[in-house]
C-alpha cells in the first residue's frame, strides 16, 4: 500500500475489512496509535497489520494512522465492519465539519467515488491544504492536531451534531494546555518550537491569547472522565517533557492537571513514562523539535522529500539514468570533483528531461524546484550499482572493520 498514490484508501479497506479487529475497545486503539506517535503529532510508524510497499515517511504514516483511527473507531462504536458504510459515514462527518475554504470542499466533493474523495480529504487534513511546493519547505511536516479529527468523529458517531463547535472547543483546549504546560518548562528553543508546531496546526481556532489560570481549570474540568481526557493528559505529559527528564515542578503540574481530568496519580505517572519511553526510542525522528537553525531545518526537509521520491521511483530512475551515457559520466565525475558551470548546466538540463517522463517527480519542474537538484545528485549513488562509486562502503562491510 502506497499512501502517496491513488487507490490507497481502497487498498486499506481490502486489507482490513474482513480481518478480525485487533482492538477490543477504543482505549486499546488509542494505545496503539500513541505508540505510533499519532497522539504526539510525530508519526514514526503505523499499525503492524498494514503492510506498505515502501518505507513510509512521517506524513504518509500520519495519513495511515488517521484512517486507521477513523475506521476502527467506526467499527468499535457502531459494531459494523462494512467499509463502504464507513466511507459514507466519514465523508458525511467531514462535510458537516466544513473544513477549509468553500472552493476546496467543492473540489474534494465534486464527483469521483467516495474513496477518492476521502483521499483528497485526508491529504488536505495532514498537509493543512498546503501546495506540494510549500510542503517541501515546511519543517513542521504535518498537522499535529489530527487526533482532534478522530475524537470529533467519535462524538459524531455517538450523536453529536454541532461538530464545528465540538472541534473548536477541543482545539482551543489543546492550545491552552500547551501554553499553560510550557510555563513550567525553562524557556528554550525546543519550548518555542513545540508551541509553534501546535499553533501552526490550528484548523478551527483563530489566533488568540491563552485563557487565565482559573478559566483554564474550569475548561479542563469540563472534560473530566470523558473520552477526550486521555488525549489531553498525553498532551500535558508531552509538553512538560524535556531532555529525557521531567523535573519535580513539571511532574507536580502534570499530577494536578491529571487529577482535574479524573486520573489517579499512578495513571498520570504511567502517561509520563509513555512519553519518556517514546522519545528515548524516537527522539531523532522528532524533526520539528530539533534545535537546528532555519537553514538546517530547510535542508533536512528537502532531503527527506527527495529521498522519498528517489526510493519510490528507483527502478524507473535507474533505467533512465543508465540509458543516458553522458549524464552518467558527469554524475560519476561529480562524486570525485566539482563540476564546471557548463557541466552543471548539462546535468541540470538532462535531469529535468528525465523528470518530465516521471509524473511523480514533477516537483523538480516547478518554480524553485531546481534547488532540489544538488540534493538529488548527492543521493544518486544509493540508487546506482556499486560500480558507480568504487569507494562506497556498505554498512555490513563497515561493521567488519
Amino acid at each position: 500500500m502506497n499512501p502517496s498514490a491513488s487507490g490507497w484508501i481502497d487498498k486499506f479497506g481490502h486489507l482490513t475489512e474482513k480481518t478480525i479487529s485487533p482492538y477490543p475497545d477504543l482505549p486499546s486503539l488509542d494505545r496503539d496509535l500513541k505508540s505510533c506517535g499519532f497522539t504526539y503529532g510525530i508519526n514514526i510508524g503505523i499499525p503492524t497489520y498494514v503492510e506498505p510497499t515502501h518505507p513510509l515517511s512521517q506524513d504518509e504514516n500520519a495519513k495511515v494512522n488517521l484512517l486507521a483511527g477513523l475506521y476502527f473507531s467506526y467499527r468499535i462504536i457502531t459494531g459494523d465492519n462494512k467499509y463502504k458504510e464507513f466511507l459514507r459515514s466519514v465523508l458525511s462527518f467531514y462535510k458537516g465539519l466544513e473544513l477549509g475554504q468553500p472552493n476546496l470542499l467543492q473540489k474534494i466533493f465534486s464527483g469521483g467515488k467516495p474513496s477518492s474523495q476521502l483521499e483528497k480529504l485526508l491529504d488536505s487534513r495532514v498537509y493543512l491544504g498546503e501546495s506540494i511546493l510549500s510542503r517541501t519547505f515546511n519543517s513542521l511536516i504535518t498537522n499535529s492536531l489530527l487526533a482532534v479529527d478522530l475524537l470529533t468523529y467519535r462524538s459524531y458517531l455517538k450523536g453529536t451534531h454541532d461538530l464545528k463547535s465540538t472541534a473548536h472547543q477541543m482545539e482551543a483546549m489543546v492550545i491552552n494546555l500547551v501554553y499553560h504546560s510550557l510555563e513550567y518548562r525553562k524557556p528554550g528553543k525546543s519550548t518555542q518550537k513545540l508551541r509553534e508546531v501546535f499553533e501552526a496546526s490550528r484548523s478551527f481556532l483563530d489566533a488568540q491569547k491563552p485563557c487565565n489560570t482559573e478559566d483554564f481549570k474550569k475548561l479542563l474540568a469540563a472534560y473530566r472522565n470523558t473520552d477526550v481526557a486521555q488525549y489531553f493528559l498525553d498532551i500535558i505529559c508531552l509538553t512538560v517533557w524535556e531532555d529525557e527528564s521531567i523535573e519535580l515542578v513539571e511532574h507536580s503540574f502534570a499530577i494536578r492537571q491529571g487529577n482535574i481530568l479524573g486520573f489517579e496519580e499512578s495513571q498520570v505517572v504511567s502517561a509520563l513514562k509513555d512519553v519518556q519511553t517514546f522519545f528515548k526510542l524516537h527522539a531523532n525522528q522528532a524533526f520539528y523539535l530539533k534545535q537546528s537553525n532555519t537553514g538546517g531545518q530547510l535542508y533536512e526537509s528537502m532531503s527527506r522529500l527527495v529521498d522519498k521520491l528517489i526510493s519510490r521511483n528507483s527502478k524507473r530512475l535507474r533505467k533512465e539514468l543508465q540509458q543516458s551515457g553522458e549524464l552518467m559520466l558527469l554524475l560519476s565525475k561529480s562524486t570525485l570533483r566539482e563540476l564546471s558551470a557548463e557541466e552543471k548546466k548539462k546535468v541540470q538540463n538532462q535531469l529535468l528531461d528525465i523528470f518530465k517522463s516521471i509524473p511523480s517527480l514533477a516537483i523538480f519542474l516547478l518554480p524553485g524546484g531546481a534547488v532540489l537538484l544538488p540534493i538529488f545528485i548527492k543521493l544518486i549513488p544509493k540508487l546506482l550499482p556499486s560500480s558507480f562509486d568504487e569507494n562506497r562502503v556498505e554498512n555490513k562491510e563497515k561493521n567488519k572493520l
Side-chain angles (χ1 to χ4, degrees), residues 5-10 114-124:
S6 61
W8 77 275
I9 296 283
D10 286 331
S115 57
S116 297
Q117 293 177 12
L118 187 56
E119 283 179 13
K120 296 175 186 175
L121 264 170
L122 297 191
D123 193 73
S124 70

Side-chain angles (χ1 to χ4, degrees), residues 114-272:
S115 57
S116 297
Q117 293 177 12
L118 187 56
E119 283 179 13
K120 296 175 186 175
L121 264 170
L122 297 191
D123 193 73
S124 70
R125 293 304 297 136
V126 168
Y127 301 114
L128 293 170
E130 291 184 341
S131 66
I132 189 169
L133 191 60
S134 297
R135 299 173 201 171
T136 307
F137 299 98
N138 185 356
S139 63
L140 301 184
I141 306 175
T142 62
N143 179 356
S144 295
L145 291 171
L146 291 173
V148 172
D149 282 31
L150 176 57
L151 294 169
T152 306
Y153 179 59
R154 291 177 182 175
S155 295
Y156 167 77
L157 291 174
K158 294 176 181 179
T160 297
H161 299 292
D162 192 355
L163 299 178
K164 290 186 70 174
S165 176
T166 299
H168 182 281
Q169 292 172 14
M170 205 180 301
E171 190 172 271
M173 195 67 243
V174 173
I175 298 299
N176 271 282
L177 282 171
V178 170
Y179 270 88
H180 284 277
S181 299
L182 289 179
E183 288 178 0
Y184 287 81
R185 277 177 53 172
K186 296 176 182 178
K189 291 182 180 179
S190 62
T191 301
Q192 180 62 24
K193 284 295 296 180
L194 189 60
R195 184 181 292 117
E196 289 175 1
V197 164
F198 281 95
E199 283 282 5
S201 295
R202 289 181 290 104
S203 298
F204 311 97
L205 186 68
D206 294 330
Q208 64 177 43
K209 294 181 179 179
C211 59
N212 61 51
T213 303
E214 290 306 314
D215 288 339
F216 168 68
K217 289 180 179 178
K218 292 178 183 177
L219 289 170
L220 195 61
Y223 288 94
R224 183 180 178 86
N225 296 324
T226 65
D227 295 341
V228 184
Q230 182 64 54
Y231 173 57
F232 287 165
L233 176 61
D234 289 329
I235 292 297
I236 292 168
C237 295
L238 169 66
T239 50
V240 298
W241 177 91
E242 184 177 22
D243 298 330
E244 300 183 7
S245 64
I246 298 174
E247 296 182 3
L248 180 60
V249 64
E250 298 161 345
H251 182 277
S252 300
F253 172 79
I255 296 295
R256 290 197 303 274
Q257 308 317 305
N259 290 340
I260 293 174
L261 287 166
F263 293 101
E264 297 179 1
E265 182 173 345
S266 61
Q267 293 173 299
V268 179
V269 170
S270 177
L272 287 168

Side-chain angles (χ1 to χ4, degrees), residues 311-324:
S311 65
R312 296 298 160 79
N313 297 277
S314 57
K315 292 181 180 179
R316 181 81 178 273
L317 272 169
R318 188 180 296 115
K319 182 179 179 181
E320 294 284 348
L321 287 170
Q322 290 176 339
Q323 289 176 351
S324 178

